[in-house]
Amino acid sequence: MYQTTVQDRKTTEQMPPLHLQVRWWILALLFCVTVINFVDRQVLSVVAPVIRETFHLSNTQYGIIVSSFLFGMVIGEFPMGWLMDRKGARLGLSLAVLWWSAANALHATANSMVHFSVLRFWLGTGECGNFSGGVKVVAQWFPAHERALAMGIFNGGSMVGSIIAPPLIVALMLHLGWRMAFVIPSVLGVFWILLWRAVYFPPADHPRLSPAEAEYIRGGNGSSQAGGPTNQQLLRLRQTWALMLCRMLVGPVVQFYIFWLPEYLYRERGFSLKAIGAFAWVPFLFGDLGSVGGGWLAGYLMRRGVSLNAARGIALWLGAGLCLLSLVVSVAPSAAVAMTAVCLVLLGHTCLSANMFATISDVFQSNAAARVTALTGITGGLSGIAFPLVTGWVVDRFSYAPVFVMAALMPAAGVFVLFKMLGRITRVEG
């Protein structure tokens, strides 16, 4: 349970004003890079109707392209997590963003399913570093009662990127062609790297971190040993596997909506490309509200005396409950009702996700947080590889309805597994 002590209040009173507190500027940079990450990630889904017709790709072939990206994430997850934990997020995130920006730009040269699949694989090996690096930075810079809010804001960048992508990419595609729709967003990553290198340093070395803010951060995070547990030790912990299995069940759902929603609206609900650009971003606005709101909710409950375990549980189960509305989407009598259900699903999913990622930094110290995040990304990626393949096969042969049923039930299953294996949320020391 988080309780405000006399020392906490004194430290808070001595801190500089909010706009001069370094951790929030660091968080703003994490938010921005996540926006860029998801704009780059979603270019393909927005241009998919044009690419599929240009290169005569079936749902199954498109599913293979999407799965190639997720396979790349699986392969890249642990190397990226190791890089973040051992070399630090300053170098690690710089290299990850440069790597994925190059891959995204080169999509402009693709002319076949094989080309797109190879480049999506490359993109995935870099983009997975965004979350392992971000979770590590949040674990280093934020005390426990602020961590879910920080994760919600950071993760909210994924929804903002998804909001920006449809109108931005459609505009680029209509005026400059689909190939330039890949190139121009990639340039943003290069500018971000320059800013990150100029601003970011770890707390112990940051020249602008005040002693009061440093003490506030340390007081909420406890002690942390430099080396941390080995990879083998992490894999022997039930806490690691609880988080891995939870993300395996939860992760593919948002990927399904990111990669398949424009296609679903185009082919099943009769949306034009302009209509997709005008409306496909709306569910992701609700996702952003869920991400920040879910993080705020957990912190609010803890400040009111609710235990960490109970606060996370309330937010996680609330999110899983809203995800059940995926059952409504394919049977909705109108596009408006279907879109309303999708909006609430994404609100719930990001509420769940913000607290799931925050639980990693609740359970593991910053010397292991990036590697555990990477391990959860591997299991999430494995299920993410299978889900688009299943989606393409099922849609080609049946309809979207069975896929929406799976998307409804998997988040609740993930939360159940998490608490069944984890028990209570407590810190693993060492």
Side-chain angles (χ1 to χ4, degrees):
M1 181 183 299
Y2 173 75
Q3 294 179 323
T4 303
T5 65
V6 174
Q7 182 62 41
D8 290 332
R9 289 194 294 270
K10 287 182 178 178
T11 300
T12 302
E13 290 168 0
Q14 294 168 356
M15 280 204 294
L18 188 65
H19 69 280
L20 295 178
Q21 293 175 23
V22 176
R23 70 191 186 283
W24 298 110
W25 287 101
I26 299 299
L27 184 62
L29 286 173
L30 291 179
F31 173 85
C32 289
V33 77
T34 308
V35 171
I36 294 168
N37 183 293
F38 274 76
V39 169
D40 289 355
R41 184 178 303 197
Q42 204 173 347
V43 176
L44 178 71
S45 66
V46 177
V47 304
V50 173
I51 289 175
R52 286 189 56 192
E53 290 178 359
T54 300
F55 300 108
H56 309 293
L57 302 175
S58 68
N59 285 304
T60 301
Q61 289 173 313
Y62 179 65
I64 290 171
I65 293 171
V66 173
S67 289
S68 297
F69 168 79
L70 297 164
F71 182 54
M73 292 192 78
V74 170
I75 298 300
E77 282 283 6
F78 203 78
M80 282 291 175
W82 178 90
L83 179 66
M84 303 298 171
D85 272 343
R86 298 309 187 203
K87 302 299 181 182
R90 187 169 187 266
L91 174 63
L93 278 172
S94 299
L95 293 176
V97 177
L98 181 63
W99 183 252
W100 92 55
S101 296
N104 192 59
L106 286 172
H107 278 64
T109 67
N111 288 301
S112 69
M113 186 195 77
V114 173
H115 292 164
F116 282 111
S117 297
V118 169
L119 290 168
R120 294 310 284 180
F121 174 84
W122 177 357
L123 182 72
T125 61
E127 285 213 338
C128 59
N130 187 80
F131 275 86
S132 54
V135 170
K136 180 179 180 66
V137 171
V138 168
Q140 287 181 314
W141 278 90
F142 287 86
H145 64 282
E146 290 182 347
R147 206 171 288 142
L149 175 60
M151 280 304 312
I153 294 171
F154 157 50
N155 188 49
S158 64
M159 296 296 103
V160 172
S162 299
I163 291 168
I164 292 171
L168 172 64
I169 302 309
V170 167
L172 290 172
M173 183 168 50
L174 292 176
H175 290 90
L176 300 173
W178 68 263
R179 296 184 190 274
M180 290 304 295
F182 284 102
V183 173
I184 292 176
S186 303
V187 176
L188 296 174
V190 177
F191 286 111
W192 184 89
I193 293 168
L194 296 175
L195 187 59
W196 181 251
R197 301 290 295 176
V199 172
Y200 182 80
F201 298 90
D205 303 323
H206 205 289
R208 298 182 184 86
L209 183 64
S210 69
E213 187 177 2
E215 179 60 30
Y216 178 76
I217 294 167
R218 284 195 299 270
N221 282 335
S223 61
S224 178
Q225 300 174 11
T230 65
N231 299 334
Q232 291 78 9
Q233 289 170 330
L234 288 176
L235 287 169
R236 287 197 291 266
L237 294 171
R238 76 176 190 285
Q239 292 91 336
T240 305
W241 283 97
L243 289 159
M244 288 168 65
L245 293 174
C246 179
R247 190 171 176 188
M248 182 184 75
L249 290 163
V250 170
V253 175
V254 75
Q255 300 286 357
F256 164 68
Y257 279 104
I258 288 172
F259 291 121
W260 289 90
L261 182 60
E263 271 288 294
Y264 173 75
L265 295 175
Y266 183 77
R267 302 190 186 278
E268 300 296 323
R269 294 291 178 175
F271 279 46
S272 67
L273 285 177
K274 287 186 178 180
I276 289 172
F279 296 107
W281 60 271
V282 175
F284 300 104
L285 173 61
F286 280 80
D288 204 39
L289 295 174
S291 187
V292 177
W296 173 86
L297 174 63
Y300 172 83
L301 292 171
M302 281 186 271
R303 288 192 297 273
R304 294 299 181 274
V306 177
S307 70
L308 171 66
N309 187 75
R312 290 279 184 262
I314 290 168
L316 287 164
W317 279 114
L318 175 63
L322 287 172
C323 287
L324 292 173
L325 289 172
S326 283
L327 294 168
V328 174
V329 178
S330 65
V331 298
S334 68
V337 174
M339 287 289 283
T340 300
V342 173
C343 288
L344 293 174
V345 168
L346 286 181
L347 187 149
H349 192 281
T350 52
C351 172
L352 191 166
S353 294
N355 284 276
M356 178 184 68
F357 284 115
T359 301
I360 296 174
S361 52
D362 292 334
V363 175
F364 293 94
Q365 298 183 34
S366 63
N367 54 26
R371 284 176 292 150
V372 174
T373 304
L375 288 169
T376 68
I378 290 171
T379 52
L382 289 171
S383 61
I385 290 169
F387 205 85
L389 294 174
V390 171
T391 299
W393 187 87
V394 169
V395 172
D396 273 341
R397 288 159 178 78
F398 303 102
S399 71
Y400 276 94
V403 183
F404 283 111
V405 171
M406 289 188 289
L409 300 178
M410 287 170 65
V415 176
F416 174 80
V417 169
L418 177 67
F419 282 103
K420 185 69 174 178
M421 293 185 65
L422 198 61
R424 295 188 62 81
I425 299 173
T426 56
R427 176 60 63 93
V428 173
E429 300 297 334

